Structure formats: C-alpha cells, structure tokens
C-alpha cells in the first residue's frame, strides 16, 4: 500500500499501521532484532515513496541524489519513539549552484515525514539543513575533517553521521563516503582514542554493590534504557568498527565482525548482542504499552521502572548492565592504558 501511495495522507495512514503492526507483533513475542529491523524496513519503504513523490512534484532526477538515514534508522534499529535524522547527497560540479533546489526538495520531504508522525529533529540533523545537504565531494571533505581534527563537536557529529545508509535515489553516490570512513578512521589513532574517551563518559547504571542505580522521576525510580543502556552499546560497537575498518552500521553485525577481530569467545560476543537486544525489547514494550500500564513519562519514552518489572525481567536487566560494564572495561583496557 505504501509503495503505491499517491499522496502524503495515504502514507500517514501507512505510518499509523506500522505502529499498530509493531504493537501486535510485540504482543506475539517477536524478538527485538526482528522487530526493529521490520520497523526500520517499513519506515524505509515509506520514506522512499515520500522522496519519490516529492521529487516527481518538483521535477528532480533522483539519479542525481540519494536520501540518507542517520542514527537508529541508519543502523536498521529503529524503535517507535523516534524523530528524523537524515541528509542528502547530490551529484554536482557546482554545489552552490545546485544546492537551493535540493534544499527546497529536502524541506518538502522533512515536512511530509513530520506530517506522517516522524517529528522534525530538534538538533536540525535533517536534509533541509544546508550542512546536511552536500555533494559527495563535500561530504567526504567534511568526514575527513572530523577525523583529522577531532574537536568535541566533530566527535559528536561522527557519532551521529557515521551510521549512515542510503534509502532512496542513486546509492552509488554514497560509496566514496563509506569507503573514506572505513579507510581513514582506522588509520588515525588519535581520533579513535578520542572516540573511546567520549564513549567512556557514560556508564552502566550499577552501583558499587552491583545493584541497579535509578533516578527519581516524578516520584518513581527510573532507568533510561537508551542513554544508560543501548546508546552505550551502540557507541562501543561503532568505536571498534571504526578502529578495525568494519563498514557495517548495524550494531549486531558490528559486534559479529569485531568479535572476530578481538578474538572474543562466542559466549562473550553473543552476550553483547543479547544484552543489547533485551534492552531494545524493553524500550519497545515501554513505547508500545497501552495507557494504564506502567509507562515512561511522555517527555522521555525510554524510561523504565525496574521495580515494576517481573522478577525475571529485572534480573535479566541487571545482567545486561553487567555485560555492558564488562564491555566498557574491555574498551578501557584497549584505549586507556
């Protein structure tokens, strides 16, 4: 239905059905990896159709550009509560001349995605931002500068933008960007060390006794499953992937690749993926649970109240954080000795 949609209203209905389908599949016990990959795939289909509709409306040739996904969509790990993280790469021998047309196109896509329930990015990481609407050469120059300079802002940009993936248009335009990141980052030890230092700023929410540390939110003791859990796994997987020239963007596939490079025992590396996916599952449950359940505050759809979990889930949650703590310790040994 989404592939054959003729306007934004039909795609808005498709987005609503994606969320309904995700809730049903979660209730049937579908695993987190399969569910987030399915959500990401369906969001890809919706976005690709929107991009094509807007390009047709404005008379633009998508063989001269590619729509990019960053962040969780770029990794194929999208949950339900998510905003937009996207960009555009276009083919041009005069980027300043061609950029205005592509920016107008990108703005129409961003606004249409917002109408479909994918909020505009508060940080303006969107294709309608001139900094995210660049030619292939400009993107490569920008990525190379981030790797070479490694300022705090550059490191933040790398953590957002380096998980990129083309969704629509001419995908060959993206290949030089991927090749540059895989090649250059691994050969700039200072950049890798800075990325490691950045990733190590966040810790697993465990106290010195090994119990889950919580924060008071509106009188409830909560844990942020994203910032204190999945985001740290993502950061570690990205770091090792960049350090070893791994081109994959998906966290599980990165863990599988770096396990070989690090000579990690199967039970250890499988624990990384298993813990990450359990945290993803809890996030989905919080985001999709119907009103009346123990839901996270609306301001943060990634908060969970450990005391409200059943005994098994609470014990598994604690073990996931232990896995995360051991993974961070490995990173400390590798990059802070």
């Amino acid at each position: 239905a989404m592939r054959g949609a003729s306007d934004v209203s039909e795609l808005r209905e498709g987005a609503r059905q994606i969320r309904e389908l995700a809730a049903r599949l979660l209730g049937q016990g579908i695993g987190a990896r399969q569910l987030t990959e399915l959500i990401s795939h369906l969001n890809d289909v919706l976005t690709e159709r929107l991009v094509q509709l807007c390009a047709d409306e404005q008379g633009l040739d998508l063989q001269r550009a590619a729509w990019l996904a960053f962040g969780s969509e770029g990794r194929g790990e999208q949950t339900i509560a998510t905003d937009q993280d996207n960009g555009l790469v276009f083919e041009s021998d005069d980027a300043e001349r061609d950029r205005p047309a592509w920016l107008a196109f990108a703005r129409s896509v961003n606004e249409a995605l917002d109408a479909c329930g994918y909020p505009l990015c508060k940080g303006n990481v969107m294709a309608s931002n001139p900094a995210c609407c660049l030619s292939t050469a400009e993107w490569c120059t920008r990525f190379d500068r981030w790797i070479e300079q490694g300022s705090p802002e550059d490191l933040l940009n790398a953590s957002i933008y380096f998980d990129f993936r083309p969704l629509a248009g001419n995908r060959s335009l993206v290949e030089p960007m991927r090749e540059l990141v895989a090649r250059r980052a691994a050969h700039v030890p200072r950049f890798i060390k800075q990325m490691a230092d950045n990733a190590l700023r966040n810790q697993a929410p465990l106290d010195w006794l090994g119990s889950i540390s919580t924060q008071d939110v509106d009188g409830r003791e909560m844990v942020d499953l994203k910032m204190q859990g999945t985001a740290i796994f993502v950061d570690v997987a990205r770091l090792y992937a960049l350090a070893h020239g791994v081109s994959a963007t998906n966290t599980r596939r990165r863990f599988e690749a770096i396990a070989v490079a690090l000579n990690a025992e199967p039970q250890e590396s499988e624990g990384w993926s298993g813990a990450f996916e359990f945290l993803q599952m809890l996030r989905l449950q919080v985001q999709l649970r119907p009103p009346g359940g123990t839901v996270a505050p609306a301001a943060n759809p990634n908060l969970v109240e450990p005391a409200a979990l059943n005994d098994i889930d609470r014990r598994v949650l604690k073990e996931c954080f232990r896995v995360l703590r051991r993974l961070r310790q490995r990173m400390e040994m590798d990059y802070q000795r």
Side-chain angles (χ1 to χ4, degrees):
M2 289 191 296
R3 286 193 177 103
S6 59
D7 56 35
V8 174
S9 64
E10 292 180 27
L11 289 169
R12 186 185 301 118
E13 172 62 17
R16 185 190 65 78
Q17 291 183 18
I18 291 173
R19 290 184 272 273
E20 286 187 352
L21 175 63
R24 288 200 302 271
L25 292 176
L26 183 66
Q28 294 170 15
I30 298 295
R33 177 169 63 90
Q34 292 84 353
L35 191 49
T36 54
E37 286 181 355
L38 176 61
I39 293 169
S40 298
H41 170 68
L42 293 174
N43 288 342
D44 286 358
V45 173
L46 183 147
T47 303
E48 186 173 6
R49 185 56 184 156
L50 261 183
V51 167
Q52 187 64 61
L53 287 172
C54 291
D56 291 345
E57 187 177 278
Q58 299 184 29
L60 294 173
D61 180 7
L62 281 181
Q63 283 306 299
R64 296 186 53 238
W67 188 267
L68 304 173
F70 302 126
S72 59
E73 177 73 358
R75 295 189 300 274
E77 297 164 355
Q78 198 138 52
T79 60
I80 293 299
T82 184
D83 61 4
Q84 296 184 45
D85 286 311
N86 49 55
L88 188 78
V89 55
F90 58 90
E91 181 182 66
S92 175
D93 57 4
D94 187 344
E96 293 305 320
R97 177 197 66 205
D98 296 334
R99 197 181 335 273
W102 290 114
L103 282 171
F105 158 73
R107 191 171 300 108
S108 67
V109 177
N110 287 146
E111 290 172 354
L113 285 169
D114 183 50
C116 289
Y118 304 92
L120 299 174
C121 176
K122 294 178 181 177
N124 205 21
V125 181
M126 294 183 294
S128 54
N129 176 358
C132 298
C133 183
L134 305 172
S135 68
T136 301
E138 287 176 322
W139 275 115
C140 288
T141 298
R142 195 180 188 204
F143 285 173
D144 192 60
R145 185 176 69 250
W146 291 344
I147 294 170
E148 284 296 327
Q149 294 181 358
S151 69
E153 184 179 356
D154 295 333
L155 297 175
L156 177 61
N157 285 332
S159 68
I160 296 171
Y161 291 87
F162 280 8
D163 296 346
F164 64 90
R165 183 168 59 90
L167 296 190
N170 187 349
R171 296 165 191 262
S172 66
L173 296 175
V174 181
E175 292 172 7
M177 298 160 57
R178 175 62 59 204
E179 182 182 342
L180 182 142
V181 171
R183 183 184 73 253
R184 290 288 294 130
H187 291 89
V188 183
R190 177 193 50 76
F191 173 73
I192 297 298
K193 173 66 164 57
Q194 288 179 305
M195 289 289 286
D197 292 343
N198 213 38
L200 286 167
R201 291 178 182 176
N202 297 318
Q203 298 188 24
L206 294 173
D207 61 24
W208 65 281
L209 291 174
S211 300
I212 297 176
S213 298
T214 58
Q215 53 186 311
D216 184 275
V217 180
D218 299 332
R220 294 158 62 189
E221 295 301 312
M222 312 290 279
V223 170
D224 190 323
L225 294 170
K226 180 179 180 181
M227 299 309 299
Q228 297 176 287
T230 58
I232 306 177
F233 277 109
V234 167
D235 285 345
V236 175
R238 181 191 303 110
L239 167 73
Y240 277 111
L242 291 172
H244 292 276
V246 174
S247 60
T249 57
N250 177 268
T251 299
R252 183 183 183 90
R253 293 188 182 93
R254 280 173 166 169
F255 278 144
E256 290 171 350
I258 64 179
V260 176
L262 298 176
N263 291 318
E265 293 293 329
Q267 61 266 33
E268 180 184 8
S269 61
E270 289 168 8
W272 304 337
S273 296
F276 171 71
E277 288 167 9
F278 181 81
L279 294 175
Q280 286 281 75
M281 178 62 71
L282 280 186
R283 288 181 65 198
L284 286 165
Q285 289 175 353
V286 169
Q287 293 170 11
L288 292 169
R289 190 167 289 148
T294 307
V295 298
N300 187 341
N302 295 294
L303 293 178
V304 70
E305 187 175 19
L309 299 174
N310 64 51
D311 287 347
I312 293 177
D313 283 349
R314 190 164 54 250
R315 291 176 185 176
V316 176
L317 177 62
K318 184 186 296 186
E319 187 55 39
C320 288
F321 291 142
R322 287 174 176 164
V323 170
L324 181 55
R325 184 168 61 182
R326 290 193 294 269
L327 184 56
R328 286 186 74 264
Q329 289 169 346
R330 173 188 273 271
M331 188 165 60
E332 287 177 341
M333 291 289 292
D334 287 342
Y335 295 103
Q336 289 199 332
R337 286 183 297 179

